[in-house]
Amino acid sequence: MSVTPPEQPPPFYDPAPGGAPRPSGGRSPVVLGVLVGVLVFALIGAGVAGWKIFSGNDDNTVTAGSTGSKAPSPAATSPASAMPSTDPALAAYYDQKLDWKSCGDNECATMKVPLDYTKPDGTSIGIAVLKVPAGDPSERVGSLVVNPGGPGGSGLEYAAGGAKQFGKQLADHYDIVGFDPRGVGKSDPLKCVDTAQMDALLGYDPAPETAAGRDKMDSLLQTLGNGCLTESGELARHVSTKEAARDMDILRATLGAPKLDYLGASYGTFLGATYAEEFPTHVGRFVLDGAIDPALSNEQLSLEQAKGFETALRAYVADCVAQGDCILGNTVDEGTARIKAFLDQVETTPLPTDTSRMLTSGWANLGIWLPLYVKDYWPYLTSALKQAFDDHNGSQLMTLADAYASRGSSSYTDNSMEVLYAVNCLDHDDYIPTKDVPAHFAQFEKVSPTFGKAFAFGLSTCSDWPIHSGQTSGPIHAKGAPPIVVIGTTRDPATPLEWAQALSKELDSGTLITRNGDGHTGFQQGNSCVDDAVEAWLIKGTQPKPDLHC
């Protein structure tokens, strides 16, 4: 199954059973992810109010039109200040005028884009867009397009966090604009499998030892891939990052912006870098936070992520030990060994939970991975492990795993996990057969004794995906773009610091900010040095000091 930690988890409102404290500031994680062979999500805080806007079927939701409509009729021309399309065949899309309507305290609209950019006169799909108007209109700088990661994360929910998500300075000076990328959430959504089928995939052993177990893993992944084609048809072939980047340029034009100002986190950095490569002269003020290195192969990405999660786990255990009376032991090595032994045990003997589902190996890994994204969540993990060790009950770990996967009490609350696989399988077509994965165990276990084998199976996740794009990795230079700010964090589990360092060097105009800390991403993570530099760049155009360390 090979689902490695996501880049960002879903709304996690309820504290873990047992009274674990809520993260400071009332921040709720968003489940997204960076699948690079393995499924990896990233954790970014989002204001509770922002998430609540999209719960239930109320007047605060926006749903894109159904797939299958034709290209939009040219509306009144887009604002003169906006750069038009360089392709006359796309003029109808670039010239469309969005019909903004109130959705709670915000404004929502549906943008049309071509399903297939090689057939611009063919079928169009809807992209849901949400705008949080600038808090201080007299100081408004423009529109800031944001993406929280994934692939599969909702830009609507991310943007709706407003000042709670992005800080008062950005929220006052910018209209914060989020969109659900093609196939995601409120846009014309990708549909692949039902709840039971997704449960079977995510709960399955992420590192099967036998040939029969690996065959079962292949079967579960084939069910997902074939389901995407059966349930979603051509949309499943057109959810790549390159296509989403082209959608962003149409969004730029509909916003009347000659250049795009953008803040992308985690997978959102890959989306932003891809945009910069495709449209370097349309780049405005860019921030890529928690960066992915687009030059790396699937194997390199998976191996470095394995190392990143092991580093984060050891930081968590070290903190537990330092506080005294740690449930994991008296040393970091003892603690990581106990967690590994626990995961091995659950593989053969799942734990009961307060639900009808058992905590299997797959769910246990997800439950441990999620808190590693945010240091404030470490107490949740300690409480959950204590319950599992002392009471032989997996309820708290299952709560964390469900948050990771956006699973509600009876079904999934969004389609982020389906999109995660579908996009990554199109973006990376360099997978190996599952039967060949064990030959790579040694190198993965060397960098991650705890999670190595699970991450190794990221090498084969998409080997039997029914759609092969032929896309391979390569460096992104964005020649001709203005300065692009890249942020990396020293102990980031999902997007290791090395990736940010590499991307900042590959980009012709990259400049790096390094945050010394734990957790995923750097902006709005309690580091004023990072926050001040980002705000000065986006609001005033003041470039950060070269190689700024915070």
Side-chain angles (χ1 to χ4, degrees), residues 4 11 25 65 98 106 131 173-174 178 192 235 238 262 269 334 339 374 392 454 463 484 487 499 513-514 525 547:
T4 59
L98 298 187
N106 307 313
K131 174 170 61 179
H173 287 83
Y174 273 105
C192 302
L235 180 61
H238 295 286
Y262 176 78
T269 67
E334 283 182 21
I339 289 175
V374 176
H392 304 288
S463 57
I484 295 175
I487 305 174
W499 293 0
I513 297 175
T514 301
Q525 297 295 332
D547 198 21

Side-chain angles (χ1 to χ4, degrees), residues 306-307 310 443-453 455:
K307 180 181 178 181
E310 190 74 24
Q443 64 175 331
F444 276 82
E445 289 189 296
K446 182 178 180 179
V447 300
S448 178
T450 311
F451 306 126
K453 287 184 178 179
F455 276 86

Side-chain angles (χ1 to χ4, degrees), residues 165-188:
Q165 176 68 68
F166 302 99
K168 188 175 186 300
Q169 286 296 313
L170 290 190
D172 276 352
H173 287 83
Y174 273 105
D175 293 341
I176 306 294
V177 179
F179 68 103
D180 279 359
R182 50 176 55 215
V184 174
K186 301 296 180 182
S187 295
D188 284 336

Side-chain angles (χ1 to χ4, degrees), residues 243-460:
E243 290 163 308
R246 299 192 71 176
D247 297 342
M248 277 176 42
D249 200 53
I250 293 177
L251 176 59
R252 173 200 57 76
T254 65
L255 295 172
K259 298 194 179 217
L260 180 72
D261 289 348
Y262 176 78
L263 171 60
S266 208
Y267 160 80
T269 67
F270 181 46
L271 178 59
T274 301
Y275 178 91
E277 182 80 341
E278 295 289 322
F279 305 100
T281 60
H282 296 191
V283 171
R285 297 170 186 172
F286 263 44
V287 175
L288 307 180
D289 185 9
I292 295 172
D293 179 3
L296 298 181
S297 68
N298 176 48
E299 180 176 355
Q300 291 169 318
L301 288 166
S302 297
L303 191 64
E304 291 190 14
Q305 270 186 339
K307 180 181 178 181
F309 273 90
E310 190 74 24
T311 297
L313 179 72
R314 292 182 70 84
Y316 156 70
V317 176
D319 181 75
C320 180
V321 170
Q323 293 185 38
D325 196 25
C326 177
I327 61 168
L328 297 169
N330 297 318
T331 68
V332 172
D333 287 342
E334 283 182 21
T336 56
R338 185 165 191 194
I339 289 175
K340 177 65 167 62
F342 167 71
L343 290 172
D344 290 343
Q345 178 184 346
V346 174
E347 186 177 319
T348 57
T349 311
L351 294 181
T353 70
D354 294 341
T355 73
S356 60
R357 295 179 293 143
M358 300 290 285
L359 183 79
T360 60
S361 178
W363 292 118
N365 273 278
L366 295 181
I368 290 172
W369 286 334
L370 181 142
L372 299 182
Y373 284 95
V374 176
K375 188 174 182 178
D376 284 342
Y377 275 38
W378 289 358
Y380 287 143
L381 181 54
T382 298
S383 178
L385 290 173
K386 187 175 189 307
Q387 182 190 47
F389 294 167
D390 295 349
D391 303 333
H392 304 288
N393 186 301
S395 296
Q396 291 184 35
L397 278 173
M398 185 65 89
T399 297
L400 292 168
D402 283 351
Y404 179 113
S406 295
R407 195 193 190 285
S409 58
S410 59
S411 62
Y412 289 82
T413 60
D414 59 41
N415 68 339
S416 58
M417 298 306 292
E418 291 162 303
V419 173
L420 185 64
Y421 283 94
V423 174
N424 281 285
C425 289
L426 290 179
D427 286 351
H428 291 268
D429 204 359
D430 56 347
Y431 292 83
I432 66 174
T434 302
K435 65 179 179 62
D436 295 340
V437 171
H440 296 263
F441 281 168
Q443 64 175 331
F444 276 82
E445 289 189 296
K446 182 178 180 179
V447 300
S448 178
T450 311
F451 306 126
K453 287 184 178 179
F455 276 86
F457 278 96
L459 302 178
S460 66

Side-chain angles (χ1 to χ4, degrees), residues 1-256:
M1 148 203 100
S2 163
V3 172
T4 59
E7 248 179 66
Q8 200 170 317
F12 183 56
Y13 302 118
D14 301 324
R22 181 175 289 282
S24 61
R27 303 171 72 84
S28 301
V30 183
V31 160
L32 308 165
V34 172
L35 185 179
V36 261
V38 260
L39 297 182
V40 176
F41 279 111
L43 264 178
I44 294 176
V48 171
W51 293 105
K52 295 280 188 180
I53 286 176
F54 295 92
S55 61
N57 297 314
D58 56 31
D59 292 337
N60 293 330
T61 61
V62 56
T63 303
S66 59
T67 305
S69 57
K70 291 293 183 178
S73 307
T77 57
S78 53
S81 60
M83 291 182 181
S85 168
T86 56
D87 183 353
L90 294 172
Y93 291 101
Y94 275 79
D95 290 344
Q96 67 183 295
K97 194 175 184 69
L98 298 187
D99 182 17
W100 293 99
K101 296 180 179 179
S102 175
C103 52
D105 295 330
N106 307 313
E107 298 175 23
C108 296
T110 297
M111 179 180 73
K112 290 294 183 179
V113 298
L115 171 64
D116 183 348
Y117 274 92
T118 68
K119 301 175 182 178
D121 293 329
T123 300
S124 68
I125 57 175
I127 302 296
V129 185
L130 179 142
K131 174 170 61 179
V132 181
D136 186 351
S138 67
E139 296 293 328
R140 180 181 178 275
V141 173
S143 297
L144 180 67
V145 174
V146 298
N147 179 276
S154 172
L156 301 185
E157 296 180 347
Y158 191 45
K164 293 182 179 179
Q165 176 68 68
F166 302 99
K168 188 175 186 300
Q169 286 296 313
L170 290 190
D172 276 352
H173 287 83
Y174 273 105
D175 293 341
I176 306 294
V177 179
F179 68 103
D180 279 359
R182 50 176 55 215
V184 174
K186 301 296 180 182
S187 295
D188 284 336
L190 185 75
K191 300 176 182 177
C192 302
V193 292
D194 60 25
T195 296
Q197 290 169 317
M198 183 57 74
D199 281 350
L201 176 62
L202 297 184
Y204 192 68
D205 180 5
E209 299 283 353
T210 66
R214 293 189 284 274
D215 287 345
K216 175 65 173 178
M217 173 183 281
D218 283 344
S219 176
L220 291 169
L221 288 165
Q222 288 167 6
T223 296
L224 176 63
N226 291 333
C228 292
L229 267 181
T230 300
E231 297 295 325
S232 299
E234 285 300 300
L235 180 61
R237 302 181 186 275
H238 295 286
V239 291
S240 71
T241 298
K242 286 185 178 180
E243 290 163 308
R246 299 192 71 176
D247 297 342
M248 277 176 42
D249 200 53
I250 293 177
L251 176 59
R252 173 200 57 76
T254 65
L255 295 172

